[in-house]
Amino acid sequence: MKKLLLVLIISTLLIGSAYAANIGDFKVDDKLYSSNFNNTDCIVYFDDAKTSGVGIFKYLDTVDDENDDAIEGIIMDDGNDYLVADDDYQINKNSDNTANFTDVDHGSYGVVEVVEVDNEKFVIVFWSKNSNDTSKLMSQLTEFNKDNNLTAIAF
């Protein structure tokens, strides 16, 4: 009986420590980013002035027409838009499967990566309105990956 109880306790602990693939389950430094917006496909954390933040997006081929007025004009509302360059968006890939970007439309700069958790992909974006913050954002991304046990994958 004691062995069964011990096995149940250990199993519960292991299940509790398994990572669930939900956008709200990622650990984000709430000292830096206190406000947030979320819908079924993304969660975006901001500083109080909405001049920097982190976005966690499900990797999707289509975008739902949900109410995203809270992030309109601040960042893109689809994480996949951060993965492909166009006339108003430049991206420079790094050797570690991350990339630096400049988003002219939204006046933001930052770093982006794709991660996979439980066979589901997510686009992680750290952004700022200040172009000098890129190295700081890369440090935050590195810490985020460490806190969430993540590794960027190729995109």
Side-chain angles (χ1 to χ4, degrees):
M1 182 68 172
K2 288 183 181 182
K3 287 183 182 180
L4 178 60
L5 184 58
L6 182 61
V7 168
L8 287 174
I9 290 172
I10 291 173
S11 297
T12 302
L13 291 174
L14 290 175
I15 291 170
S17 66
Y19 202 89
N22 293 309
I23 56 175
D25 291 339
F26 292 97
K27 298 173 192 162
V28 175
D29 187 348
D30 59 1
K31 294 176 201 141
L32 296 174
Y33 305 115
S34 55
S35 303
N36 74 52
F37 162 82
N38 71 50
N39 65 24
T40 57
D41 296 332
C42 75
I43 187 165
V44 180
Y45 298 88
F46 312 95
D47 63 359
D48 289 334
K50 294 186 178 178
T51 58
S52 67
V54 57
I56 303 166
F57 300 87
K58 288 185 178 179
Y59 185 94
L60 302 170
D61 291 331
T62 60
V63 178
D64 292 338
D65 291 331
E66 293 193 46
N67 183 359
D68 60 4
D69 293 341
I71 59 174
E72 189 172 318
I74 299 172
I75 65 168
M76 293 188 254
D77 60 2
D78 182 0
N80 290 10
D81 289 342
Y82 283 98
L83 305 178
V84 180
D86 64 24
D87 291 341
D88 297 318
Y89 179 75
Q90 292 81 45
I91 186 167
N92 297 309
K93 290 188 177 183
N94 302 318
S95 61
D96 63 353
N97 293 328
T98 65
N100 297 352
F101 69 82
T102 301
D103 179 1
V104 175
D105 273 346
H106 298 95
S108 63
Y109 310 86
V111 294
V112 61
E113 70 179 358
V114 175
V115 298
E116 188 169 351
V117 178
D118 294 340
N119 296 318
E120 187 169 359
K121 293 180 182 176
F122 297 89
V123 178
I124 310 297
V125 178
F126 278 78
W127 58 274
S128 175
K129 298 293 184 177
N130 184 344
S131 63
N132 296 324
D133 286 348
T134 304
S135 63
K136 179 175 80 171
L137 295 172
M138 184 57 84
S139 295
Q140 291 176 8
L141 176 64
T142 301
E143 189 66 27
F144 174 84
N145 286 347
K146 189 170 111 180
D147 291 345
N148 290 284
N149 197 27
L150 301 171
T151 302
I153 60 174
F155 63 93

